[in-house]
Structure formats: structure tokens, C-alpha cells
Amino acid sequence: MMEGKVCLITGANSGIGKETAKALAKMNANVVMLCRDKERGEEVQKEIIEQTGNKSVDLFICDLSSQDSIRKFISEFKNKYQNLHVLINNAGVMLKNRKISVDGFEMNFAVHLLGPFLLSNLLLDVLKKSAPSRIINVASAAHKRAKIDFEDLQSVNKKYRLFSVYGISKLAEILFTYELSRKLEGTKITANAVHPGVVATNLGQDQSKFSQWFSRKFFKSPEEGAQTSIYLASSPEVEGITGKYFINKEPRESSEESYNEGDAKRLWKVCVAMTGLDTQ
């Protein structure tokens, strides 16, 4: 079913990303792992090849908080691959303290919105050539309490609260997903968002030891959390379905804020300016 399909997964060296990459490799897809940590990436690449018997598991190194790093990867990828059938924007961060990216953006905003925005847009030509193709953005139910403040997108003027800032970045990611799906109408490229559930991954490694223990004991395993991403990447049942928010392999309603088309269009313009896409 996935044989010959090129599937790119960001943050593929751990957690949900790793399990997604492994499952797609088992389906004989050509898996492209995009990781920030070279040593860890090589370790997981070797593990997936050994466990699945699929030697078509490739590795690229990229820091999704750095726009220069993303552009460098795009050049390397296009030099090697002519097709891309599935793009899974999975990489994430969850930081206890405020951190700024190399480009000067708040890190949640940089990794959850600007990174996927730039990566997806720079790969659209390959995705269009390979259509039907799919873009899957791993979001979170944390978006449901969030609101977009266009006067303070970087959360500079408020006290840094982890779950608040994280939720805002995930709401922005869903707004981006819906606007992307509208812009891609007629291209045979679908764009959907997924809430994987509350999953015990190393995303929260910046948290207390008790919080990490609690998550491992009571939350979903990474393998369980990856199931909806795997489903959206591979199932013929969702062919042509776009602009949806999935939980447990089913389309669900996201927050009222996430359906504000005016905000989505405004946010798109902000992202274009912040990533320099308007100069290309």
C-alpha cells in the first residue's frame, strides 16, 4: 500500500515521530527522517532498518527552529528526491522557561508554526508533482483554551506560562492547517491536523521528575499516540479528505477560535513576512 511512497517525518528520532517512521517503514514506504540530533537520529535510523528490514530509511539533519537550517535541508532533499507523497510535521517542544530561536522568535511559535509553515511551503512543488499527497500537522487539544493575540504573538508582554504559550502555538498551527487546505483546493494535496492524545514522550523532558513519571504511568504510549498520524498518512479511507482535525482516527471539532478564517488569513500573512517567503 505504501511501497514506493516517500514519507517525510520531522522529529522522527523519538516519541510519536519515531513510532510513525517505524510503522511506515513496516509498510515498505521510503521513510525520510528529519532530526535535529545527528547521533540520536543515526541510532534510531539503524534501529528502524534492523526492526523492519526496510533499508529505505533516510536521515537528514535539520533544526526546525532555524529557518536557515530548513532552507539548507530543502536544497539537500530536492537534490536527492524527485517525489514526496506524505509530509508529517511532527516535531515539537515544550519548554519550562521562555527560549528564543536563532531567528529571534519565541521557541514554541518558531517550532510549531513558523517551521512547519516554511517547510510545507518550500516542499509544495514536490508535493504537487507527486499528488495525490498528504500533509499532516501534529497539533494538540491544548489549543482549545487558547486565543491568538496579534499584538503579542511572541508572548512578550505576558508572563511565560508553559501550557498557555504551548496552546497558543498549537492553535496557530491548526489555523495554518485550515488555511493551507483552502489554498490547496484542486491540487490533490490534503492538509489535516491531528491531536495524538496525551502521550508520554520526551517532549516534556524539561518538566519535573514527578511530572515525567506521572506521564509515563498514566498517559498514552508513543506507539498509541502515533496511530492517528499513521492512519492519516496511509489509509485509503481519508483520500481526498482535507481541512479536518482528527482524534483517534476520527474527524472532530476543534475550537471555535480555530475556524476564524479572518485570523487564519492574517496569520498566514504574518508567517509569510516572518519567514521571508514574500521575497522569494
Side-chain angles (χ1 to χ4, degrees):
M1 180 170 55
M2 295 299 289
E3 192 164 357
K5 301 285 188 183
V6 180
C7 302
L8 169 59
I9 304 131
T10 70
N13 64 304
S14 65
I16 295 170
K18 174 183 173 181
E19 296 302 328
T20 303
K22 188 186 299 182
L24 293 174
K26 284 180 180 176
M27 297 178 193
N28 291 318
N30 186 336
V31 173
V32 179
M33 300 170 56
L34 191 58
C35 305
R36 184 179 62 176
D37 187 315
K38 185 175 185 290
E39 185 177 345
R40 179 64 179 146
E42 289 174 343
E43 181 184 317
V44 172
Q45 178 191 26
K46 181 181 177 183
E47 179 185 327
I48 291 175
I49 291 171
E50 288 177 350
Q51 290 185 5
T52 66
N54 183 349
K55 294 182 180 179
S56 297
V57 179
D58 206 352
L59 173 67
F60 289 85
I61 306 304
C62 178
D63 180 353
L64 285 166
S65 71
S66 165
Q67 295 179 20
D68 281 347
S69 184
I70 292 171
R71 286 186 166 86
K72 181 174 180 288
F73 159 71
I74 292 292
S75 176
E76 293 171 348
F77 178 83
K78 288 182 178 179
N79 281 336
K80 189 169 183 179
Y81 289 90
Q82 304 301 312
N83 293 294
L84 178 61
H85 303 93
V86 178
L87 168 62
I88 304 178
N89 288 306
N90 165 82
V93 295
M94 187 176 278
L95 303 170
K96 185 167 60 176
N97 299 307
R98 180 182 176 85
K99 188 175 180 181
I100 303 301
S101 74
V102 67
D103 299 310
F105 302 113
E106 191 280 317
M107 192 62 80
N108 287 276
F109 191 82
V111 174
H112 299 147
L113 177 63
L114 295 178
F117 179 88
L118 182 61
L119 187 69
S120 300
N121 274 284
L122 294 180
L123 288 170
L124 281 182
D125 55 343
V126 190
L127 286 159
K128 286 176 181 176
K129 189 169 70 172
S130 311
S133 48
R134 305 176 182 189
I135 299 172
I136 299 147
N137 293 330
V138 180
S140 170
H143 82 278
K144 292 205 167 183
R145 294 184 179 180
K147 290 188 176 182
I148 297 290
D149 179 0
F150 282 96
E151 304 306 314
D152 190 22
L153 283 173
Q154 303 297 307
S155 302
V156 173
N157 301 324
K158 56 177 75 77
K159 183 177 179 181
Y160 183 90
R161 290 184 172 86
L162 167 61
F163 291 107
S164 173
V165 175
Y166 179 81
I168 291 167
S169 72
K170 288 300 182 177
L171 170 59
E173 189 172 22
I174 295 172
L175 283 163
F176 156 58
T177 305
Y178 292 165
E179 183 63 13
L180 180 62
S181 73
R182 287 188 284 268
K183 289 182 178 294
L184 292 174
E185 284 180 10
T187 65
K188 293 187 178 180
I189 305 174
T190 59
N192 292 292
V194 54
H195 168 53
V198 184
V199 181
T201 70
N202 66 3
L203 186 66
Q205 62 187 340
D206 197 34
Q207 306 308 300
S208 69
K209 287 184 178 179
F210 173 78
S211 295
Q212 293 180 52
W213 170 84
F214 186 88
S215 68
R216 286 193 300 269
K217 189 169 180 65
F218 296 106
F219 295 173
K220 279 185 177 182
S221 69
E223 186 176 5
E224 291 170 329
Q227 293 308 304
T228 303
S229 292
I230 297 163
Y231 173 75
L232 288 176
S234 63
S235 176
E237 294 176 4
V238 291
E239 186 69 56
I241 294 176
T242 190
K244 303 295 183 184
Y245 172 72
F246 281 80
I247 303 176
N248 294 329
K249 303 182 183 179
E250 296 286 344
R252 303 283 181 85
E253 291 293 311
S254 51
S255 72
E256 185 177 344
E257 296 278 337
S258 70
Y259 294 109
N260 188 318
E261 287 192 33
D263 280 357
K265 293 182 187 306
R266 185 177 178 185
L267 187 64
W268 186 280
K269 289 180 180 178
V270 169
C271 289
V272 166
M274 286 182 170
T275 58
L277 273 182
D278 53 353
T279 62
Q280 294 181 338

